[in-house]
Amino acid sequence: MTYVKFNNAPVVKSFGGLVEDIINGTNLKNFIKDDFNTADFFGAHPPVNILETKEAYIIDLLVPGLNKEDFKISLDNKVLTVSAEKEKEAETKDENQKQIRREFSFRSFKRSFTLNEQVDATKIQAKYENGILKVTLSKKENIQDPVKAIVVE
């Protein structure tokens, strides 16, 4: 089998270009943020989509490669915390195999969301399917005070 080398890294600057940017005063923090995939280098949080309907808030977290048993979801003092931890896969000691390239690994993460007064804490549901964790936060039913006529004296 022929080994084919791919360079799919988002880094477009050479080392010399990086040195020039530092010497010329370009902010290194912006360079790192713009030119590197920060999720790979700094363990950033998984991406999240939040949707609001009349009945609920829906939080979708993109977390492929995990099992539903890996997730821990808790609610404490109006803060919803979603976390996951996956054990590192054991390396095989097979002499016929060697790892040539490793571009991803499973990491732990922790995301927290502050909930408002509309969320019914007793009706929170979570479902993991096709790499997306969907957390549904049902809203409380709006119970309005009955209309009351006020007599002016």
Side-chain angles (χ1 to χ4, degrees):
M1 181 175 126
T2 305
Y3 175 65
V4 179
K5 184 176 181 181
F6 291 97
N7 187 6
N8 294 330
V11 178
V12 294
K13 294 186 180 185
S14 65
F15 180 74
L18 173 60
V19 173
E20 280 182 24
D21 286 345
I22 293 172
I23 292 171
N24 293 332
T26 303
N27 190 350
L28 182 60
K29 183 178 178 184
N30 288 338
F31 168 78
I32 292 172
K33 183 177 179 185
D34 294 338
D35 288 347
F36 287 101
N37 181 351
T38 56
D40 290 340
F41 286 92
F42 302 106
H45 302 301
V48 173
N49 290 337
I50 301 176
L51 176 70
E52 181 180 9
T53 66
K54 289 182 181 180
E55 298 83 26
Y57 295 100
I58 301 168
I59 301 173
D60 291 335
L61 288 97
L62 181 62
V63 284
L66 298 172
N67 297 316
K68 64 181 182 178
E69 296 83 18
D70 296 330
F71 295 103
K72 181 180 176 187
I73 302 173
S74 63
L75 180 65
D76 184 29
N77 212 12
K78 296 186 183 181
V79 176
L80 178 75
T81 302
V82 179
S83 60
E85 189 168 331
K86 183 164 181 143
E87 296 293 323
K88 185 177 179 180
E89 295 176 2
E91 294 182 17
T92 59
K93 299 284 182 177
D94 188 356
E95 293 179 9
N96 297 325
Q97 287 183 345
K98 69 176 183 177
Q99 186 169 3
I100 297 173
R101 185 178 185 105
R102 183 171 189 90
E103 291 189 356
F104 69 91
S105 63
F106 300 104
R107 299 181 184 178
S108 60
F109 73 89
K110 186 175 187 179
R111 293 276 323 236
S112 295
F113 305 91
T114 303
L115 306 182
N116 63 21
E117 301 293 330
Q118 293 179 328
V119 174
D120 187 352
T122 62
K123 295 182 181 178
I124 297 175
Q125 299 176 338
K127 182 177 183 180
Y128 183 64
E129 188 174 59
N130 296 328
I132 297 176
L133 177 66
K134 184 179 291 257
V135 181
T136 304
L137 309 166
S138 297
K139 292 181 180 180
K140 293 179 182 176
E141 294 182 23
N142 290 338
I143 302 175
Q144 297 180 356
D145 294 330
V147 178
K148 180 179 176 183
I150 311 277
V151 178
V152 179
E153 295 180 19

